[in-house]
């Protein structure tokens, strides 16, 4: 070794790229000893550019490294590094390519097969075993100029010299670790193992030669820092491992923040798989693996899963509540004119009513909500009248249960001088509304009735007091009382407090219909956003984050969404500012709101069967260009193409199976 080489090696001995120097020295020794079976040499460069390179290789080299599958990594290194800092260019194999002699080789094969010659002479074998591969140039690894103990990566190469100055190698384990994990930022927490490098779905090489260079034992790590306040997408067909990766990420956050509790997690569990163990699949849940820091809220308590009740307050959420009740009635095939009339009514939320400035419109909106309250009361839904009295911002002297019918109407209904005082309770409200609808039906054409009651009012009152004596009326809602709790809004406060404490909250919605799932997702998402926004404006965010997990995300973030002010659109645009991160899962990229896709930083992509989907993916994230075919061909569960903020190119990874106790 020359003195200049010795001192350069000393200069970079702390760099991860010292592995490159050791690797090339070992290759030189194997070559001199003619130990081709131990070499990682893959071939020579036929043609090179800034974006692609064509290499030539031979069968003995491919066999020695265990094969060179499409999508695998190769490194391009100068043939002489003696006067240069250690560096290499990273290639990804794309496809086979013709050589200058391809036509002659085909002619030779044609002649051989035509003559049925089973054996080839040694000279012909030597000629025919050469081939070419086209590779994408992913970028260059080199020592970080600011810190020689770190590695830097550039998406382009600083220069391209003549092809004969390069040699191509299949990297060993040490270099693969630099390639896959060298850029993962540790910051406050150690990178977490999520799986192992798997260049191809085909695992034949590992069976033939487990120690050869397929890279299947290279551990792939991710940094929890990449997911804090960031958006993470899970794409791929069902039953191919998306939920398992979500568990791994949620567990990684729990482990990485165990000391500082800096991330609270909220999981909307629509299938119950994060809250409950699955004995059939041998799968343990996030809850059972982390009982000390995890809380479950469930609509229906499961015998083996400790949980808190998750209930709706139908009184205080009229806009969502009436829609949910209507949906339940339809799903239970409860159909009649008065039921369908009730299900078709839309109500304003309490917030919308209070913000209404027109007194006449506000009075009608409150009256309609009161009719809905009377129906719930008649159906036996318990209430806290004290809480209901404080919901509306009313003029001084007004009562929360007073429908404010005109004096003339009340005089006509009860008789002049016989009108009772304004209703002061739900019982009194019920009695007044029942009396009013009886009078309205007997006098449908009077101006007072026409002015007082609009179609939606009549639909609600028709449900409260059906025309037919055989109709069940509000009692048809009795079966849904188990979903109601008059103190249900307290669970929102509990969840926000737990998130601030860095706990993981799982909403078990496995037995709920789509409307109820959407209700809880909407309600808690709005509350979380408002909570974080308030902390931001008061400068209290600090280093604390909230991370939300959504499945069936196409229902929440539909493509072509017009409402750019809704909470989910705001997550996409402003979530990072308010320290809100989210992981969303769906089968198809093309079904997701475009603004969210554009703002997504991390991707885990399993099998997609449509070229339209892979093209959509490549358009929104250029790093996936060139791996579309592999995504469509691979269908092994847990085999994902991963791209995080730390990674500058797509990493093919076989995700490990989430196991009891979690950990890394």
């Amino acid at each position: 070794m020359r003195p200049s080489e010795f001192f350069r090696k000393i200069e970079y001995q702390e760099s991860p790229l010292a592995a490159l120097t050791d690797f090339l020295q070992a290759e030189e020794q194997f070559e001199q000893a003619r130990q081709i079976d131990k070499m990682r040499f893959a071939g020579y460069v036929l043609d090179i550019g800034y974006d692609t390179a064509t290499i030539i290789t031979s069968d003995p080299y491919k066999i020695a490294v265990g094969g060179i599958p499409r999508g695998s990594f190769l490194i391009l290194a100068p043939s002489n590094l003696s006067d240069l800092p250690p560096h290499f260019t990273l290639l990804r194999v794309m496809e086979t390519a013709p050589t200058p002699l391809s036509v002659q080789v085909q002619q030779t094969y044609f002649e051989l097969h035509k003559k049925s010659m089973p054996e080839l002479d040694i000279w012909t074998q030597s000629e025919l075993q050469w081939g070419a591969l086209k590779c994408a140039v992913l970028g260059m690894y080199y020592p970080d100029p600011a810190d020689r103990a770190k590695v830097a990566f550039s998406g382009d190469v600083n220069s391209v010299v003549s092809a004969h100055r390069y040699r191509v190698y299949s990297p060993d384990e040490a270099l693969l670790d630099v390639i896959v994990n060298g850029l993962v930022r540790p910051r406050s927490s150690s990178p977490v193992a999520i799986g192992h490098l798997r260049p191809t779905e085909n695992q034949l090489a590992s069976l033939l030669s487990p120690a050869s260079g397929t890279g299947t034992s290279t551990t792939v790590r991710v940094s929890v820092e990449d997911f804090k306040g960031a958006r993470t997408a899970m794409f791929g067909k069902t039953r191919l491992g998306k939920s398992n990766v979500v568990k791994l990420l949620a567990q990684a956050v729990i482990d990485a923040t165990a000391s500082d509790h800096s991330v609270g997690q909220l999981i909307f569990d629509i299938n119950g798989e994060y809250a409950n163990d699955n004995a059939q699949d041998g799968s343990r849940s996030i809850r059972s693996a982390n009982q000390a820091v995890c809380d479950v809220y469930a609509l229906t308590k499961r015998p083996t899963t400790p949980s808190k009740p998750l209930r709706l307050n139908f009184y205080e959420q009229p806009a969502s509540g009436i829609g949910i009740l209507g949906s339940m009635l339809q799903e239970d095939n409860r159909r009649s004119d008065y039921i369908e009339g009730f299900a078709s009514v839309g109500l304003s939320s309490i917030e919308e009513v209070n913000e209404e400035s027109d007194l006449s419109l506000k009075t009608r909106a409150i009256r309609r909500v009161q009719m809905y309250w009377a129906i719930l009361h008649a159906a036996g839904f318990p209430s806290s009248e004290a809480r209901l009295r404080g919901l509306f911002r009313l003029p001084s002297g007004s009562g929360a249960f007073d429908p404010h019918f005109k004096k003339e109407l009340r005089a006509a209904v009860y008789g002049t001088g016989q009108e009772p005082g304004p209703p002061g309770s739900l019982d009194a409200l019920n009695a007044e509304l029942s009396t009013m609808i009886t009078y309205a039906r007997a006098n449908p054409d009077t101006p007072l009735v026409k002015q007082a009651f609009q179609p939606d009012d009549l639909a609600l009152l028709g449900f409260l007091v059906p025309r037919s004596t055989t109709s069940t009326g509000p009692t048809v809602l009795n079966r849904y009382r188990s979903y109601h709790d008059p103190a249900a809004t307290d669970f929102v406060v509990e969840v926000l407090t737990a998130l601030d404490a860095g706990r993981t909250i799982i909403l078990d919605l496995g037995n709920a219909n789509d409307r109820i799932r959407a209700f809880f997702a909407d309600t808690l998402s709005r509350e979380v956003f408002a909570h974080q926004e308030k902390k931001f404006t008061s400068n209290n965010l600090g280093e604390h984050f909230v991370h939300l997990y959504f499945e069936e995300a196409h229902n929440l973030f539909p493509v072509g969404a017009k409402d750019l002010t809704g909470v989910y659109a705001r997550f996409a645009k402003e979530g990072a500012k308010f320290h809100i991160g989210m992981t969303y899962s769906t089968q198809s990229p093309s079904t997701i709101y475009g603004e969210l896709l554009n703002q997504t930083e991390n991707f885990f992509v399993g099998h997609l069967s449509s070229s339209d989907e892979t093209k959509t993916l490549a358009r929104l994230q250029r790093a996936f260009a060139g791996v579309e075919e592999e995504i469509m061909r691979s269908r092994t569960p847990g085999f994902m193409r991963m791209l995080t903020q730390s990674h500058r190119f797509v990493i093919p990874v076989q995700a490990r199976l989430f196991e009891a106790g979690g950990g890394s």
Side-chain angles (χ1 to χ4, degrees):
M1 180 183 296
R2 293 185 302 172
S4 60
E5 294 180 44
F6 173 77
F7 288 113
R8 186 163 296 280
K9 183 173 182 179
I10 293 296
E11 182 180 6
Y12 292 102
Q13 66 180 351
E14 299 299 324
S15 169
L17 289 174
L20 176 66
T21 304
D22 296 338
F23 174 82
L24 293 178
Q25 287 180 349
E27 285 297 301
E28 183 178 1
Q29 294 172 359
F30 290 141
E31 184 177 8
Q32 290 175 354
R34 298 187 178 277
Q35 295 177 308
I36 295 178
D37 59 320
K38 295 182 179 180
M39 291 177 62
R40 308 294 302 166
F41 179 72
Y44 304 95
V45 179
L46 183 63
D47 181 56
I48 187 170
Y50 288 105
D51 298 317
T52 62
T54 302
I55 68 169
I56 53 174
T57 184
S58 185
D59 291 347
Y61 301 143
K62 288 186 283 187
I63 293 171
V65 299
I68 306 178
R70 179 167 59 180
S72 60
F73 295 130
L74 299 175
I75 63 171
L76 183 70
S79 55
N80 187 353
L81 267 179
S82 59
D83 296 321
L84 297 171
H87 68 279
F88 64 86
T89 298
L90 183 65
L91 307 178
R92 183 175 62 221
V93 178
M94 297 169 60
E95 58 189 4
T96 59
T99 71
L101 301 178
S102 292
V103 175
Q104 292 92 323
V105 169
Q106 291 179 6
Q107 289 176 342
T108 301
Y109 276 128
F110 178 78
E111 292 296 331
L112 288 172
H113 291 307
K114 185 175 67 174
K115 297 177 180 179
S116 299
M117 294 179 60
E119 297 294 334
L120 300 177
D121 60 81
I122 189 171
W123 295 280
T124 304
Q125 286 183 16
S126 179
E127 290 292 327
L128 297 181
Q129 67 188 1
W130 288 89
L133 298 172
K134 184 177 181 181
C135 303
V137 176
L138 299 181
M140 178 177 285
Y141 283 86
Y142 56 94
D144 190 332
D147 186 349
R148 298 291 176 87
K150 296 181 180 179
V151 65
F153 177 84
S154 171
D156 55 11
V157 294
N158 65 331
S159 66
V160 175
V161 295
S162 301
H164 72 280
R165 294 180 178 268
Y166 298 103
R167 305 188 85 183
V168 181
Y169 301 91
S170 177
D172 62 4
E173 288 298 322
L175 282 175
L176 282 172
D177 187 66
V178 173
I179 292 169
V180 173
N181 301 314
L183 302 174
V184 176
R185 47 184 181 178
R187 288 192 186 177
S188 60
S189 58
S190 300
V192 177
I194 198 167
H196 64 261
L197 184 67
R198 183 174 182 173
T200 177
E201 186 177 33
N202 193 310
Q203 296 290 278
L204 177 62
S206 63
L207 295 174
L208 298 175
S209 178
S212 68
T214 58
T216 53
S217 61
T218 302
T219 299
V220 177
R221 302 182 184 277
V222 296
S223 171
V224 170
E225 299 295 331
D226 287 339
F227 303 94
K228 290 183 178 180
R231 287 130 298 213
T232 301
M234 299 279 171
F235 295 135
K237 295 296 184 182
T238 187
R239 303 295 296 172
L240 290 179
K242 296 193 300 296
S243 297
N244 180 69
V245 176
V246 170
K247 289 181 182 180
L248 293 175
L249 294 182
Q251 184 67 53
V253 171
I254 291 172
D255 293 340
T257 61
S259 59
D260 59 12
H261 310 292
S262 59
V263 180
Q265 300 186 100
L266 177 58
I267 302 175
F268 296 97
D269 186 5
I270 65 173
N271 294 314
E273 58 190 312
Y274 303 104
N276 309 283
D277 294 346
N278 187 333
Q280 181 178 355
D281 293 343
S283 173
R284 195 170 186 188
S285 66
I286 286 290
R287 193 274 320 163
S288 62
N290 304 277
Q291 298 184 48
V293 296
C294 189
D295 300 314
V296 174
Y297 287 82
L299 273 172
T300 303
K301 184 174 180 59
R302 309 197 189 209
T304 58
T305 302
S307 63
K308 301 177 182 180
L310 179 62
R311 296 290 184 269
L312 304 166
N313 190 326
F314 284 95
Y315 285 94
E316 296 183 15
Q317 302 289 341
S320 302
I322 193 170
I324 292 170
L325 290 173
S327 174
M328 289 176 174
L329 288 169
Q330 291 175 350
E331 288 186 6
D332 289 343
N333 203 28
R334 295 281 180 166
R335 300 186 183 277
S336 65
D337 290 343
Y338 81 98
I339 289 178
E340 291 181 359
F342 169 78
S344 67
V345 174
L347 297 176
S348 300
S349 67
I350 302 297
E351 294 79 10
E352 291 170 338
V353 172
N354 285 330
E355 291 171 3
E356 178 58 61
S357 58
D358 187 298
L359 184 58
S360 176
L361 293 177
K362 184 172 185 175
T363 299
R364 285 190 175 276
I366 291 176
R367 184 185 300 157
R368 202 162 288 158
V369 172
Q370 290 168 336
M371 293 175 181
Y372 167 69
W373 284 355
I375 291 171
L376 295 178
H377 185 65
F381 282 62
S383 64
S384 170
E385 292 192 0
R387 285 178 56 155
L388 296 184
R389 288 190 178 94
L391 291 181
F392 292 124
R393 290 197 290 269
L394 300 167
S396 178
S398 298
F401 303 112
D402 183 2
H404 287 280
F405 289 116
K406 287 188 174 182
K407 293 180 181 179
E408 295 82 359
L409 177 61
R410 297 190 87 228
V413 171
Y414 293 106
T416 303
Q418 299 179 15
E419 313 97 283
S425 66
L426 286 175
D427 284 333
L429 173 64
N430 237 344
E432 172 123 332
L433 293 176
S434 298
T435 303
M436 285 292 172
I437 187 58
T438 301
Y439 177 85
R441 286 173 180 161
N443 304 275
D445 297 324
T446 61
L448 285 174
V449 170
K450 288 184 176 180
Q451 186 180 14
F453 301 106
Q454 297 179 344
D456 280 355
D457 301 324
L458 295 173
L460 290 171
L461 294 175
F463 190 84
L464 177 64
V465 183
R467 287 181 179 272
S468 173
T469 57
T470 60
S471 298
T472 54
T475 56
V476 76
L477 302 178
N478 287 354
R479 67 183 62 199
Y480 310 128
R481 281 185 299 186
S482 60
Y483 295 107
H484 169 74
D485 187 330
T489 52
D490 291 343
F491 94 89
V492 174
V493 176
E494 289 181 8
V495 168
L496 294 177
T497 302
L499 292 176
D500 283 343
R503 297 183 68 81
T504 294
I505 306 300
I506 304 175
L507 264 62
D508 183 358
L509 303 172
N511 294 324
N513 61 32
D514 290 341
R515 184 70 69 94
I516 290 180
R517 291 170 184 164
F519 170 82
F520 280 113
D522 292 348
T523 300
L524 278 174
S525 294
R526 284 195 299 268
E527 293 290 344
V528 167
F529 191 93
H531 185 64
Q532 292 296 103
E533 185 178 30
K534 183 178 180 180
K535 289 199 293 184
F536 174 81
T537 55
S538 59
N539 198 28
N540 288 324
L541 275 178
E543 292 300 316
H544 189 272
F545 293 80
V546 173
H547 200 90
L548 291 79
Y549 297 83
F550 299 102
E551 294 195 320
E552 303 296 335
H554 53 275
N555 293 324
L556 303 177
F557 311 95
V559 65
K562 302 299 182 183
D563 181 11
L564 302 182
T565 61
V567 65
Y568 301 115
R570 297 192 71 184
F571 277 153
K573 295 186 292 184
E574 304 174 71
K577 179 171 65 175
F578 298 133
H579 286 191
I580 301 172
M582 64 177 176
T583 297
Y584 61 95
S585 305
T586 188
Q587 293 190 28
S588 306
S590 64
T591 61
I592 292 294
Y593 172 52
E595 182 67 21
L596 175 58
L597 290 174
N598 292 333
Q599 298 295 332
T600 298
E601 295 95 343
N602 307 304
F603 294 85
F604 290 82
V605 183
H607 168 67
L608 298 174
S609 60
S610 167
S611 59
D612 291 338
E613 299 298 338
T614 56
K615 288 177 182 177
T616 298
L617 183 64
R619 280 197 302 270
L620 71 95
Q621 178 48 257
R622 185 179 180 275
F624 284 95
V627 298
E628 297 97 322
E629 283 295 326
E630 291 98 303
I631 291 173
M632 288 189 289
R633 289 176 182 272
S634 303
R635 299 193 64 176
T636 300
F639 187 20
M640 314 290 282
R641 266 70 184 186
M642 179 187 77
L643 182 69
T644 74
Q645 293 189 80
S646 288
H647 296 95
R648 297 286 300 276
F649 47 87
V650 174
I651 304 293
V653 57
Q654 178 65 50
R656 65 183 180 86
L657 185 65
F658 177 78
E659 297 174 340
S664 60

